[in-house]
Amino acid sequence: MVTPVIRTVDLRSDTVTKPTESMRSAMANAEVDDDVLGNDPTAVLLEREVAEIAGKEAAMFVPSGTMGNLISVLVHCDERGSEVILGDDSHIHIYENGGVSSLGGVHPRTVKNEEDGTMEISSIEAAVRSPKGDLHYPVTKLICLENTQANCGGRCLPIEYIDKVGELAKKHGLKLHIDGARIFNASVALGVPVRRIVQAADSVSICLSKGIGAPVGSVIVGSKSFITKARWLRKTLGGGMRQIGVLCAAALVALRENVAKLEDDHKNAKILAEGLNRIERLKVNVAAVETNIIYVDLPKDPKFIAEDACKSLEVLGVLVIPQTTFRIRIVLHHQISDSDLDYVLSCFEKLFSSVPEEKA
């Protein structure tokens, strides 16, 4: 007999949030026009607001963070066969379908991401390939960082580190792009305005549908000339949309109402991480939980891997995803309550107390 699901707690990602009532109201009443013609007033308002937050000259709404990163890389790497330096565990490199290569002809050169999400400055510099160098190699044009670094557990890159990478980029005549999918999480965790975090960057992709819970979209920011080129590429990639004020209205609500909720998400992540770490046979690096992402390491039992655990938890109404064979990823968001945390902990306790321990 299948145990009936008492409730559903969705911790697969912070992208799973539903639009709030205030978002739905704003969408229904949004003032709109044709954005491809540059006339949608709500889109213009959102872009101005995000540009101001990031301290950049201009901004542009795009349907997704993947498109935002792709456009940014292609603007900076404007010659096919040029090279981008990025982390070997970065979202652009792993989860964006190799778009910079397949669509842009850009060569990715990876540098190891350390546990804290950074790449060693010396390793970045060693990876730079100059147009005056060996003609066998592609020419480096861009460095990409990710803040927060998701695959490293939502770790925040320190401002001093980003500044040093910016200095390195300038030294070699390169551009710096930041994948800021969760840049608001970094800002809240560090207690530093977004504009200061991205001060050294030439461009930033800022996701609206992750931490702050808008239903759709990202905004890329940079100089006016960068955004002018970006608009051409957005149209080429099929990202030119018409009455997007309907979407931008929800994003404006998210900016104004949900950024302040991120601190609670981070506190809840820490509470949940500590609770999970107290369960025998589970291991969580609690000190590494800086924002809203938790990685839970399971016993290395080939008969009960992370995929099996996720399926068993789903039966109980807890939705999480396997990260590796023996690791589960959990992401907190503003629609998770205190009682949800208690329920999730009880489900993990129930599951791992019932799974027989593997004998050596």
Side-chain angles (χ1 to χ4, degrees):
M1 181 178 178
V2 178
T3 304
V5 174
I6 300 173
R7 67 203 294 176
T8 298
V9 184
D10 196 340
L11 298 169
R12 291 171 297 168
S13 178
D14 43 6
T15 60
V16 302
T17 55
K18 306 298 188 291
T20 62
E21 286 304 313
S22 54
M23 286 181 192
R24 293 177 188 272
S25 176
M27 293 170 78
N29 295 293
E31 187 180 355
V32 299
D33 206 328
D34 191 323
D35 185 63
V36 174
L37 301 179
N39 299 326
D40 190 294
T42 308
V44 170
L45 179 60
L46 173 67
E47 289 165 350
R48 285 177 181 168
E49 197 157 311
V50 176
E52 174 64 26
I53 288 169
K56 304 301 180 186
E57 289 181 346
M60 182 184 72
F61 182 87
V62 288
S64 69
T66 294
M67 183 179 284
N69 284 327
L70 176 60
I71 288 172
S72 298
V73 171
L74 298 192
V75 170
H76 295 309
C77 298
D78 54 359
E79 294 180 0
R80 293 184 67 83
S82 56
E83 189 168 72
V84 54
I85 295 172
L86 72 177
D88 66 343
D89 222 0
S90 65
H91 196 280
I92 294 175
H93 182 57
I94 297 176
Y95 299 120
E96 299 185 8
N97 294 111
V100 298
S101 299
S102 61
L103 299 177
V106 178
H107 184 262
R109 184 156 164 84
T110 60
V111 172
K112 183 180 184 298
N113 280 116
E114 303 299 325
E115 288 187 2
D116 64 357
T118 64
M119 299 176 281
E120 291 286 350
I121 298 289
S122 59
S123 298
I124 297 174
E125 185 156 33
V128 174
R129 299 199 270 208
S130 165
K132 297 178 182 178
D134 192 321
L135 57 76
H136 292 88
Y137 301 141
V139 175
T140 308
K141 289 203 168 185
L142 176 66
I143 301 170
C144 289
L145 300 177
E146 181 179 333
N147 200 10
T148 64
Q149 217 295 343
N151 269 6
C152 294
R155 303 295 290 271
C156 302
L157 303 188
I159 292 171
E160 298 79 9
Y161 171 78
I162 298 172
D163 288 347
K164 286 180 181 177
V165 176
E167 290 168 7
L168 177 64
K170 285 185 172 63
K171 174 183 173 182
H172 291 279
L174 310 178
K175 298 297 185 182
L176 173 61
H177 172 70
I178 294 178
D179 175 1
R182 294 183 175 89
I183 198 70
F184 292 109
N185 292 88
S187 174
V188 169
L190 294 170
V192 177
V194 170
R195 61 170 43 233
R196 177 61 190 92
I197 296 174
V198 304
Q199 183 176 296
D202 296 285
S203 61
V204 188
S205 176
I206 298 174
C207 189
L208 305 167
S209 61
K210 287 191 168 72
I212 63 173
V216 180
S218 289
V219 172
I220 56 175
V221 298
S223 67
K224 288 180 181 178
S225 62
F226 169 84
I227 293 299
T228 296
K229 293 175 183 176
R231 288 192 184 280
W232 284 89
L233 279 167
R234 184 182 69 173
K235 183 62 177 172
T236 302
L237 295 170
M241 298 180 289
R242 301 300 177 175
Q243 287 72 35
I244 63 169
V246 173
L247 301 176
C248 294
L252 282 165
V253 173
L255 278 176
R256 294 165 183 174
E257 295 185 0
N258 289 352
V259 174
K261 298 175 183 178
L262 295 176
E263 186 173 1
D264 287 335
D265 295 345
H266 300 172
K267 289 177 181 177
N268 285 340
K270 189 71 89 171
I271 291 168
L272 184 56
E274 290 169 347
L276 290 168
N277 197 45
R278 284 193 292 269
I279 297 174
E280 192 174 357
R281 304 179 65 212
L282 298 183
K283 184 178 179 181
V284 178
N285 183 355
V286 177
V289 179
E290 297 178 352
T291 54
N292 66 326
I293 298 176
I294 305 169
Y295 286 124
V296 184
D297 291 319
L298 311 183
K300 288 183 169 53
D301 178 358
K303 296 179 181 178
F304 193 73
I305 62 175
E307 188 175 348
D308 300 320
C310 291
K311 289 178 181 177
S312 298
L313 288 164
E314 185 176 359
V315 172
L316 300 173
V318 176
L319 306 181
V320 291
I321 60 174
Q323 180 72 11
T324 61
T325 305
F326 300 110
R327 173 173 279 193
I328 289 173
R329 187 185 85 154
I330 293 173
V331 185
L332 276 291
H333 51 79
H334 74 95
Q335 291 176 342
I336 297 299
S337 66
D338 292 346
S339 62
D340 287 333
L341 297 181
D342 293 336
Y343 182 69
V344 170
L345 281 171
S346 70
C347 289
F348 269 90
E349 287 171 348
K350 179 179 180 181
L351 177 62
F352 285 94
S353 63
S354 65
V355 175
E357 188 169 355
E358 185 189 24
K359 294 183 180 179

